[in-house]
Amino acid sequence: MAALGHAILIIAFLLCLYGAGASIYGVRTGANDWIVSGRRSVYTLAVLMVIAFALVEDAFIANNFHFRIVASSSATTIPLYYRMAAPWSSQQGSLLLWVTLLSFWSSIVLFLTRRRMREIAPYATATLLGFAAFFDGLAIFYSNPFSQLPAGQVPVQGNGLDPLLMHPTMMIHPPMLYTGYTLMAVPFAFAVGALISGRLNSEWIRDTRRFALAAWLALGTGIMLGMLWSYTELGWGGYWGWDAVENAALLPWLTMTAFIHSIQIQEKRGMLKVWNVSLVLLSGVLTIFGTFLVRSGVLDSIHAFGASTLGVPFVILLAVMFFGSIGLVLWRRDSLRTEHRIDALLSREAAFLLQNVVLVALVFVIFWITVFPLISQALTGTKVSVGPPAFAPFVVPLGLALVLLTGVGPMISWRRATVANLRKNFVFPVSVGMIVLVLCLSVLNTGGHLLATLMFGFGAFVIAGVVQEFHRGASVRRTLTHRSYPASMYGLVRRNRRRYGGYLVHLGFAAAMIGVAASSAFEHSNTVTLAPGQSTVVGHYRFSYVRPTESVSSEKVVLGALINVTQNGRHVTTLRTERGIYPNTADAAGDGIVGQYFDTANADTTVGLDTGPLKNIWSVVQSEPTTRMVTLINSGNRLLFKAEATILARTRGESAAAQDYAVNHDPIDGLTLPQIRNIAVAGIARQYVTHPIPVQFLLIVSPMVMWLWLGGAMMVLGAVISLWPAPLAARRRELALYRSRLARELA
Amino acid sequence: MCENGSGMNPSRKRAIRLSVALTAAVLLASALIYVSFSAGRDELTAAQLLVKARPGGQYILAGTVENGSVRRVGSLLHFRVLAPNRRASVPVTYSGVVPDPFAPGRAVMVNVTDDNGEFVGQQNTLTTKCPSKYQAASGAAVS
């Protein structure tokens, strides 16, 4: 299996080189057969990579510890669904996933465009195959997923998967991020193709727009799932830590957000060609930059792969992409000249452009602060970190401007807004925004957090604007079709998916930003040590530590706490927070037979959470084995070690397998060694409840966190609606509009 | 120059817009550079910290938790952080939330204050790298 997998990787690498060469030769000589052959190389690559990935999956499912990555990232005790998700927890597996997804998406886009963009597609094919060759080459030469352990070193049990990764979101989060990253390569490749071929009309934009939106959706969903994982699993109470790798995923998402908006200006008015092509190229470069940050280990991050040797190849790729992109844009600057100019500052074009500037400023700020440790090290020899507080002075005002422009953009007219247009579209949303702002300042007394309060007002303005647009559209449609209001609303969205899907994204974004502002500015938290029966006040709530809890299963030992939450003497909720301690099989010899079940090196926290639309009550406990438990663990280790030694002495001279069998099955006073160990582990865990000690809690009360998740879900829904293929009639209408535009451009 | 009462020469308009945009960009960049250098803290290894630390100074300490150094006394966590060359280490006393992946042999970062040679970790600033990401450099063992 491993030899087959390795052979597939090598064949795939050669196929990438052949396909890229065939595509370029074909387009340069006009030999269509070579172009078709290059495209078919991509299809074949996808098939090969799916087979290679299936081989790795099979190794994880079958607990084949001959595979180095299975031995280091899995164990027989891990449930099947987490074993299936384990490949992408390792560097080797995630590189393979990269190439597999890239080849899959490349195949789809090249199949869909096989009869169009004849001059552009071969260059795009070569670019996509270039990326595939790079990542496949890394898998072959640096980080081979089919690497095998020497025969004598194959363990009976694997090291296991990090407990933190055994979370439902972790089964989807990395593949979503990789889907986003690999889809980003599609518009990048077509932009390169358009620049090399000089076919810089709107055709390539139209054909890759859907893939750009899909990349935006996948990356955004991946980021949102990562935030949810952080909030419910990592035990620090936040959803965004401005970690270098988090930022690296956010950067291309922001540039792609800018692109999705600014291409509308190119489609409608033939403007911003340089800007659009630069945004696509920048998104591609930032995607690889993000991957470089994760894999090179140049910046300290919770997510980064450490001690990696992949930094140099990535730097070379980044340099080629960056300088190549600049060179191509400069080369084609005459063809990218804009056809029109912005007529007025009060126009949709100007609003979109300003929104683009804000997004790019955000990208610049986040990029600078993220890589500042490297810059400072290069300049002064010492790494200087600025940390999360440095982001706020820049990100908060830029975020406010972005939300405001999110509301303004869709409501203002193209070309030049008139007073009548402004009055018609803005009176209602502005009034709602003002009312919310005044209410927050007067009734809720939020004046101490002026910027957060402004966000509530701006968010309300956006939401009111979107509601107004939906209501107007549905009302007009009801008048025209004489159908019910809900049916009119459904028909409206169905017939204008791109537009109303976009409005839903705006609605979700405003709701999410309100959630971020509220939960950041008005959060109360306390780190406190409590004994059972003691209580503390956080925000307007009293948290009482009722009692410790424990449970033991074959998978883990769980030590936790029951917390009662009251407000003004009234019961609000009961929280159960726990810390699961998984057997540390990697260091069983060091921890001892009993001790390996209490080593907190392999622990994960279960958050005690009460969630609602207006507030979240969040808690974690820092459960640790008590001193009394540690004493008992040491005694248990000694006794069981002695018993094991007795059995081994009795079976001396027998084979290792026979000795292993005897250790696990020979009875001592009627019980086997594993049975005695299990009784000891259960008895020691029980001590946590019978002899409780004070433990440390992190308790947080934060308002409106749910708005962030609901807003995120709404953004996903809106993007899916926008992506969904339009009904045939609408598609034909759109195609006719596009053809007329293309004819004008060609003329 | 205005050709009539309502308009302005387009090239002049463009020049003004460009100046405004450039001024905003320069202001943003200046503010960023200022904040980065003024609010930044040195991110030091154990060896660098031993040389540079001054009483009362605040630093970011990055390194690996030394095997056998972790000790819990009440709500306080005591451990030592090793330099990458493993020749120097510094003691840290920390209170606050300890991330789940924290363990001997794993890479950590913590904000510390020099309390006359004793490094006191600031509450809830301890971060640990995700151990699943510890892919060893070729040939090395997985930590």
Side-chain angles (χ1 to χ4, degrees):
Chain A
M1 283 294 195
L4 175 65
H6 194 69
I8 288 176
L9 291 185
I10 293 170
I11 293 168
F13 185 74
L14 296 173
L15 189 68
C16 290
L17 298 183
Y18 163 75
S23 300
I24 292 171
Y25 177 75
V27 73
R28 304 299 292 181
T29 59
N32 193 48
D33 288 351
W34 286 95
I35 294 174
V36 172
S37 180
R39 191 171 62 235
R40 286 181 180 160
S41 303
V42 179
Y43 304 157
T44 315
L45 177 72
V47 174
L48 287 175
M49 295 319 300
V50 167
I51 294 171
F53 199 77
L55 289 175
V56 171
E57 278 288 356
D58 178 63
F60 272 93
I61 291 168
N63 291 314
N64 185 348
F65 297 127
H66 288 89
F67 280 70
R68 206 178 284 272
I69 55 167
V70 181
S72 65
S73 316
S74 187
T76 54
T77 52
I78 294 171
L80 176 66
Y81 44 93
Y82 284 130
R83 287 211 304 276
M84 290 177 73
W88 46 83
S89 71
S90 65
Q91 175 113 278
Q92 299 95 323
S94 57
L95 281 174
L96 189 64
L97 182 64
W98 234 99
V99 196
T100 308
L101 289 171
L102 178 66
S103 61
F104 183 72
W105 299 122
S106 302
S107 296
I108 290 179
V109 70
L110 291 175
F111 179 77
L112 292 176
T113 57
R114 66 194 181 283
R115 294 196 183 91
R116 300 197 296 273
M117 299 193 289
R118 290 182 190 279
E119 292 88 355
I120 298 174
Y123 291 113
T125 307
T127 309
L128 289 167
L129 285 170
F131 279 126
F134 176 80
F135 282 97
D136 191 35
L138 291 183
I140 295 169
F141 301 112
Y142 288 85
S143 206
N144 191 340
F146 296 101
S147 171
Q148 299 274 290
L149 285 167
Q153 293 179 22
V154 177
V156 180
Q157 182 59 281
N159 277 349
L161 184 63
D162 178 5
L164 291 174
L165 301 179
M166 288 193 252
H167 189 272
T169 57
M170 279 298 108
M171 296 172 69
I172 318 167
H173 162 70
M176 287 307 280
L177 281 184
Y178 291 139
T179 297
Y181 283 153
T182 49
L183 277 169
M184 288 275 182
V186 172
F188 179 88
F190 277 83
V192 168
L195 285 165
I196 294 176
S197 64
R199 310 288 293 180
L200 290 159
N201 52 43
S202 298
E203 191 183 15
W204 75 273
I205 292 254
R206 177 185 172 273
D207 279 334
T208 55
R209 185 187 62 81
R210 204 173 282 277
F211 283 88
L213 186 56
W216 181 88
L217 168 64
L219 196 55
T221 309
I223 291 170
M224 194 57 81
L225 286 171
M227 291 164 74
L228 190 60
W229 170 71
S230 174
Y231 187 67
T232 56
E233 182 69 14
L234 281 190
W236 65 287
Y239 41 77
W240 193 263
W242 294 112
D243 178 270
V245 175
E246 289 174 348
N247 298 346
L250 183 64
L251 292 174
W253 186 82
L254 289 172
T255 49
M256 204 39 89
T257 308
F259 173 71
I260 288 166
H261 287 86
S262 62
I263 49 168
Q264 294 179 43
I265 306 178
Q266 184 169 343
E267 285 176 308
K268 295 259 184 203
R269 311 258 350 252
M271 294 161 60
L272 302 183
K273 286 182 182 174
V274 174
W275 181 258
N276 283 329
V277 82
S278 302
L279 281 177
V280 170
L281 296 172
L282 183 62
S283 300
V285 173
L286 287 173
T287 299
I288 299 298
F289 173 73
T291 316
F292 160 71
L293 274 192
V294 182
R295 285 160 206 290
S296 66
V298 292
L299 285 173
D300 287 306
S301 151
I302 185 173
H303 298 84
F305 287 87
S308 173
T309 52
L310 299 182
V312 175
F314 270 103
V315 169
I316 294 168
L317 177 65
L318 273 173
V320 170
M321 288 175 73
F322 184 71
F323 292 109
S325 298
I326 291 174
L328 283 172
V329 172
L330 289 176
W331 179 38
R332 294 293 185 191
R333 64 187 183 282
D334 289 338
S335 311
L336 290 167
R337 196 159 287 152
T338 191
E339 296 162 26
H340 302 103
R341 297 203 174 277
I342 289 178
D343 295 323
L345 282 175
L346 279 176
S347 64
R348 191 174 294 187
E349 298 92 305
F352 276 19
L353 186 61
L354 194 56
Q355 173 250 35
N356 264 238
V357 170
V358 170
L359 282 166
V360 171
L362 264 174
V363 168
F364 180 67
V365 166
I366 295 168
F367 177 83
W368 173 269
I369 299 179
T370 303
V371 301
F372 186 72
L374 295 181
I375 297 169
S376 64
Q377 192 173 29
L379 293 176
T380 65
T382 305
K383 266 189 186 176
V384 177
S385 283
V386 278
F391 287 92
F394 301 98
V395 172
V396 172
L398 288 170
L400 275 168
L402 197 59
V403 173
L404 186 64
L405 290 164
T406 302
V408 172
M411 290 190 294
I412 198 165
S413 302
W414 287 102
R415 301 198 68 161
R416 187 183 296 276
T418 60
V419 176
N421 160 257
L422 295 175
R423 195 180 298 132
K424 183 184 161 203
N425 290 339
F426 283 85
V427 167
F428 173 68
V430 169
S431 306
V432 171
M434 293 298 288
I435 289 167
V436 168
L437 199 60
V438 171
L439 276 176
C440 286
L441 286 170
S442 55
V443 180
L444 298 178
N445 194 22
T446 59
H449 299 278
L450 190 61
L451 294 177
T453 312
L454 270 178
M455 185 63 92
F456 298 153
F458 288 3
F461 161 70
V462 176
I463 291 169
V466 172
V467 169
Q468 174 182 266
E469 288 296 308
F470 269 97
H471 173 69
R472 275 187 185 157
S475 301
V476 169
R477 191 165 171 78
R478 187 172 60 167
T479 309
L480 292 173
T481 60
H482 305 291
R483 298 173 75 181
S484 67
Y485 189 82
S488 303
M489 184 73 84
Y490 174 74
L492 180 78
V493 176
R494 192 168 168 272
R495 290 182 69 85
N496 303 279
R497 291 176 186 184
R498 188 175 169 190
R499 181 176 176 186
Y500 288 95
Y503 285 162
L504 265 184
V505 172
H506 283 199
L507 193 67
F509 178 65
M513 287 300 106
I514 289 173
V516 169
S519 58
S520 307
F522 302 101
E523 176 187 287
H524 297 277
S525 75
N526 193 8
T527 306
V528 62
T529 301
L530 297 174
Q534 290 184 325
S535 65
T536 186
V537 174
V538 181
H540 302 295
Y541 298 88
R542 176 168 289 280
F543 291 71
S544 305
Y545 178 20
V546 180
R547 62 181 167 82
T549 61
E550 63 84 24
S551 67
V552 177
S553 68
S554 60
E555 201 187 353
K556 59 184 173 182
V557 172
V558 179
L559 308 176
L562 211 61
I563 303 166
N564 195 29
V565 184
T566 57
Q567 187 180 33
N568 302 324
R570 190 176 52 83
H571 175 75
V572 176
T573 186
T574 302
L575 302 174
R576 178 185 281 272
T577 167
E578 296 169 338
R579 198 156 183 231
I581 305 168
Y582 294 77
N584 190 6
T585 49
D587 194 24
D591 285 335
I593 296 172
V594 177
Q596 62 176 303
Y597 291 86
F598 294 94
D599 185 345
T600 52
N602 259 2
D604 75 337
T605 298
T606 302
V607 172
L609 180 64
D610 181 74
T611 187
L614 293 180
K615 56 133 192 12
N616 273 15
I617 303 176
W618 186 100
S619 64
V620 291
V621 63
Q622 293 266 286
S623 309
E624 294 274 342
T626 62
T627 314
R628 183 184 173 84
M629 289 166 73
V630 171
T631 309
L632 290 170
I633 288 166
N634 291 336
S635 304
N637 277 342
R638 277 196 300 275
L639 285 172
L640 287 174
F641 179 75
K642 242 187 234 172
E644 190 182 50
T646 308
I647 295 172
L648 289 173
R650 201 172 59 222
T651 56
R652 186 172 297 139
E654 294 181 19
S655 68
Q659 282 194 318
D660 191 50
Y661 184 86
V663 165
N664 285 305
H665 295 89
D666 280 8
I668 303 166
D669 295 335
L671 292 171
T672 63
L673 207 60
Q675 284 172 330
I676 297 171
R677 180 201 62 204
N678 291 346
I679 291 168
V681 168
I684 293 168
R686 189 77 196 139
Q687 298 294 313
Y688 189 74
V689 172
T690 55
H691 295 81
I693 59 161
V695 283
Q696 188 171 265
F697 292 90
L698 174 59
L699 308 166
I700 300 175
V701 177
S702 44
M704 300 174 87
V705 178
M706 192 187 268
W707 284 54
L708 173 59
W709 312 128
L710 291 178
M714 207 175 286
M715 289 171 79
V716 170
L717 177 68
V720 169
I721 289 173
S722 292
L723 270 173
W724 209 261
L728 200 58
R731 215 157 52 220
R732 281 188 183 145
R733 197 169 54 242
E734 193 188 338
L735 200 63
L737 280 171
Y738 155 72
R739 280 182 177 148
S740 66
R741 159 138 202 86
L742 190 63
R744 277 206 311 277
E745 283 180 357
L746 291 172
Chain B
M1 290 291 282
C2 295
E3 288 173 7
N4 55 44
S6 62
M8 187 191 280
N9 184 336
S11 62
R12 191 175 168 202
K13 209 189 250 182
R14 276 201 299 279
I16 291 172
R17 280 180 195 166
L18 186 66
S19 308
V20 171
L22 282 177
T23 309
V26 168
L27 282 175
L28 178 70
S30 310
L32 257 180
I33 292 167
Y34 173 75
V35 168
S36 304
F37 279 101
S38 61
R41 284 189 198 173
D42 287 359
E43 187 185 310
L44 303 174
T45 64
Q48 289 170 326
L49 190 63
L50 287 171
V51 175
K52 291 192 175 180
R54 299 283 173 270
Q58 296 188 340
Y59 311 91
I60 298 170
L61 172 63
T64 309
V65 180
E66 191 174 353
N67 284 324
S69 72
V70 180
R71 198 162 43 88
R72 214 173 238 290
V73 181
S75 61
L76 289 180
L77 183 72
H78 299 271
F79 57 96
R80 296 186 74 88
V81 175
L82 270 171
N85 61 12
R86 309 185 86 80
R87 285 187 192 144
S89 70
V90 292
V92 176
T93 305
Y94 173 80
S95 67
V97 176
V98 181
D100 284 329
F102 177 86
R106 290 188 184 157
V108 292
M109 278 176 78
V110 59
N111 293 5
V112 294
T113 306
D114 182 358
D115 186 11
N116 293 318
E118 174 83 5
F119 294 98
V120 180
Q122 290 161 20
Q123 197 174 55
N124 301 344
T125 61
L126 180 63
T127 54
T128 312
K129 271 194 188 179
C130 187
S132 72
K133 306 293 186 187
Y134 272 81
Q135 294 298 300
S138 52
V142 175
S143 61

